[in-house]
Amino acid sequence: MNTRKIILPLALVLTLGLASSAFAGASIFGGVNFPTGGFDDAAKTGWTAGGYYTLDMMPIVDVGVMVDYNDFSYSLAEDTVVEDLFEGSITAWEFHALGQLSFGMLKGYLGLGMATYDMGGDDGSSTDFSWQLGLAAQIAMLEARLGYHQIPVDEGSINWMGLTVGLTF
């Protein structure tokens, strides 16, 4: 007897069974970003907006995707010769695979993926690996998140703490 005739239908049944029992969750959020480390030297407090979609894989484990947009203004010293060239906005789009561990109303989360960022200069945008790690608390449909974000770059890293509030569905 051909084992593929048994394994393929069994795999299909198991996959459909897991997918039908998985609970989907989504959130939209917005908040404030605080630059840290060397990024704090030029960047000012910024803002963020985004969302995520997850599936429950086990009672305390969710996996999914997260997308968020981050914006920081910057300004170098007032005594620069050509000040117009040293003011602007630093932006970053983050695209992450998301893993969450839930313990009651608290969640720990880790996002791994990539970020497309523009430092506001003539170089245009770049794309690099990025990650985030944080904690979340959910009460009813409201969720607050505190997360550390980092984009490693050649000159060091772009890092910040983000504080967001969102609605979960």
Side-chain angles (χ1 to χ4, degrees):
M1 185 157 153
N2 191 347
T3 57
R4 282 192 303 182
K5 289 181 181 179
I6 296 171
I7 292 175
L8 289 177
L10 183 60
L12 180 61
V13 168
L14 287 174
T15 302
L16 291 175
L18 288 174
S20 65
S21 66
F23 178 73
S27 175
I28 55 172
F29 57 82
V32 62
N33 288 331
F34 304 98
T36 62
F39 187 49
D40 188 28
D41 294 341
K44 297 179 181 176
T45 301
W47 60 272
T48 185
Y52 69 79
Y53 179 82
T54 61
L55 288 174
D56 290 345
M57 300 317 279
M58 292 188 298
I60 64 167
V61 178
D62 303 340
V63 295
V65 294
M66 177 184 278
V67 176
D68 54 283
Y69 176 80
N70 302 279
D71 189 285
F72 302 87
S73 62
Y74 68 90
S75 176
L76 298 181
E78 294 289 328
D79 58 352
T80 54
V81 177
V82 187
E83 188 174 315
D84 292 348
L85 297 178
F86 298 102
E87 291 185 0
S89 183
I90 300 168
T91 60
W93 279 97
E94 289 183 292
F95 305 92
H96 288 155
L98 180 65
Q100 300 184 136
L101 290 176
S102 301
F103 301 99
M105 63 184 262
L106 298 177
K107 294 179 192 174
Y109 65 91
L110 173 65
L112 300 172
M114 65 179 204
T116 299
Y117 60 94
D118 186 346
M119 296 299 287
D122 295 332
D123 296 337
S125 63
S126 300
T127 301
D128 280 307
F129 170 78
S130 67
W131 61 274
Q132 61 179 292
L133 178 69
L135 294 171
Q138 183 174 345
I139 300 174
M141 289 182 61
L142 291 177
E143 181 177 67
R145 287 182 170 250
L146 176 64
Y148 178 79
H149 301 245
Q150 186 177 75
I151 307 169
V153 295
D154 293 338
E155 305 82 33
S157 63
I158 302 167
N159 23 291
W160 68 91
M161 294 293 295
L163 179 60
T164 62
V165 175
L167 293 174
T168 59
F169 307 98

